[in-house]
Amino acid sequence: MTWFPFLAPISVGLGVLIGYFLMKYIALKMGKPFPAIGELMYPMHHKDSKIDKSHRKGKR
């Protein structure tokens, strides 16, 4: 009998839980709001789009 089918979901769940609380702790220490999923998946895209939006405001 192999233990993998039982241990895999538990280890993935623990990893997700630890990652979530670690991100909340880091955001709290930095004084910033908790990032959205899009900012976590594509951080440069969101940074660039915010810069683009700030440049577009004055030209319209």
Side-chain angles (χ1 to χ4, degrees), residues 35-46:
I37 189 71
E39 291 172 330
L40 293 174
M41 291 175 66
Y42 308 106
M44 290 307 294
H45 169 73
H46 282 269

Side-chain angles (χ1 to χ4, degrees), residues 11-53:
S11 62
V12 170
L14 281 175
V16 168
L17 194 64
I18 291 170
Y20 173 77
F21 285 115
L22 185 62
M23 289 293 298
K24 283 194 80 71
Y25 175 75
I26 292 171
L28 181 70
K29 284 292 182 184
M30 292 179 68
K32 296 184 176 184
F34 190 74
I37 189 71
E39 291 172 330
L40 293 174
M41 291 175 66
Y42 308 106
M44 290 307 294
H45 169 73
H46 282 269
K47 182 179 175 188
D48 292 342
S49 67
K50 288 178 184 174
I51 292 171
D52 291 341
K53 287 178 185 175

